[in-house]
Amino acid sequence: MASRTPPDRTSQNDVVIRIRDAVVSYREDVALKGVSLSVKRGELVGIIGPNGAGKTTLLTLINGLGRLLRGEVEVLGYSLNNGCSASLRKLVGYVPQLPNIDPRMPINAREVVMIGRYGRLGLLRRPTSDDWEIVDKMLELVGMSHLASRPIGHLSGGEQQRVAIARALAQEPEILLLDEPTASLDRRARVSIMSLVEEIHRSRCLTTLMVTHELKTAAAVCDRLVLMKEGRIWAQGKPSEVLQEEILDLLFAGES
Ligand code: ATP
């Protein structure tokens, strides 16, 4: 069973994610090779690096789904070394990379956002008017109220991404994890999703970790950038410290 030490909520500087020397592998592939990372409550952290660096695996680990071979992971006071508890699952919202949605999917945007409530509701309880109120509030927050009843497959990529963010928020998480929220969007949608993430992060007092390839915008919105390469944290710090040409050249060396 996962165990929890009650976190100290009085301190603004409390560490809500603590990873020590984590090693994760998928059969023969070692995806994380001894990663240590601490994240304080309220931080907005961008994770950048070349393909295969281990960025998604790091999010998966924090989300309680990684198979840890070595090391320790603690999230919001819960130790994840022996699995993830249902209580923690409710506190971590996850926005995966945008899937290809079949336009014939018979589910509208509002119903997709309600899926985010089921972790709190339990499978056997029906949503109450309070749950629908939360869903509508989240749709409003991401600017999607006007398209709430449209089938999800009839929305643009940027609109679907807003719905995915609203679904994660409907869960009322303390930590929000986003995996390349702007992948496969056009430039305008990319900029608006990045500013939406920042706005929501600040207004809902979240702790947010976002994998992104948007270096410029990430530098503008993130408090800290974590640079990953070959399963390791290669550098981290304030965007102005780490986003330097020579560092990025080395980070992405070998990428076409
Ligand atoms: P990208 O930017 O391409 O999404 P990433 O930095 O997010 O990459 P991960 O997806 O974490 O990298 O993958 C890290 C390593 O683990 C890669 O070598 C990848 O091939 C491997 N890997 C990831 N998922 C699996 C899996 N389900 N089974 C086997 N190997 C995997």
Side-chain angles (χ1 to χ4, degrees):
M1 281 290 285
S3 58
R4 185 182 204 193
T5 319
D8 174 11
R9 290 177 190 282
T10 54
S11 163
Q12 285 304 304
N13 284 334
D14 54 340
V15 172
V16 289
I17 298 170
R18 199 187 302 272
I19 302 174
R20 287 192 206 94
D21 200 22
V23 175
V24 174
S25 89
Y26 303 96
R27 298 206 184 101
E28 69 274 16
D29 280 322
V30 184
L32 296 184
K33 301 173 182 167
V35 165
S36 296
L37 178 72
S38 292
V39 179
K40 287 179 184 169
R41 184 179 298 281
E43 265 194 290
L44 172 45
V45 178
I47 302 169
I48 63 179
N51 293 132
K55 306 178 297 293
T56 298
T57 305
L58 179 61
L59 290 192
T60 307
L61 190 62
I62 297 166
N63 205 16
L65 296 172
R67 264 195 55 229
L68 202 57
L69 292 186
R70 198 181 76 202
E72 287 166 32
V73 182
E74 201 182 286
V75 178
L76 292 166
Y78 290 90
S79 165
L80 297 190
N81 281 58
N82 302 310
C84 180
S85 77
S87 326
L88 175 61
R89 208 165 276 292
K90 293 173 197 164
L91 302 174
V92 182
Y94 185 63
V95 181
Q97 285 185 34
L98 205 59
N100 274 331
I101 296 178
D102 187 331
R104 290 164 300 185
M105 270 271 279
I107 177 167
N108 68 30
R110 194 167 181 247
E111 290 157 344
V112 168
V113 177
M114 179 53 85
I115 294 170
R117 292 297 302 158
Y118 284 112
R120 289 197 173 263
L121 273 172
L123 278 177
L124 298 177
R125 259 189 56 212
R126 287 175 69 81
T128 63
S129 56
D130 286 351
D131 292 309
W132 284 113
E133 207 173 289
I134 290 169
V135 164
D136 289 336
K137 192 170 146 201
M138 297 311 158
L139 278 164
E140 193 183 332
L141 196 68
V142 300
M144 285 296 293
S145 303
H146 62 301
L147 295 173
S149 55
R150 185 173 292 181
I152 188 74
H154 293 196
L155 297 174
S156 72
E159 289 161 350
Q160 285 181 15
Q161 195 55 273
R162 285 171 181 269
V163 172
I165 293 171
R167 183 192 46 70
L169 292 176
Q171 190 184 321
E172 300 182 298
E174 291 187 24
I175 293 177
L176 184 62
L177 307 174
L178 304 109
D179 195 354
E180 294 190 41
T182 59
S184 64
L185 301 182
D186 63 31
R187 196 180 165 278
R188 232 177 82 190
R190 291 204 303 270
V191 172
S192 77
I193 291 292
M194 290 293 272
S195 44
L196 176 69
V197 169
E198 186 192 19
E199 194 184 308
I200 284 169
H201 166 81
R202 312 261 176 235
S203 69
R204 302 199 57 85
C205 304
L206 294 166
T207 304
T208 304
L209 279 84
M210 166 171 59
V211 171
T212 181
H213 289 291
E214 300 292 317
L215 302 190
K216 261 196 187 159
T217 327
V221 305
C222 294
D223 302 313
R224 176 160 49 124
L225 293 179
V226 171
L227 276 48
M228 292 190 74
K229 187 172 186 172
E230 294 168 0
R232 295 197 166 86
I233 291 183
W234 201 67
Q236 59 177 308
K238 287 189 186 142
S240 58
E241 290 165 2
V242 294
L243 277 198
Q244 292 177 22
E245 205 174 321
E246 57 276 27
I247 297 181
L248 294 178
D249 283 349
L250 285 172
L251 181 71
F252 290 101
E255 286 256 298
S256 53

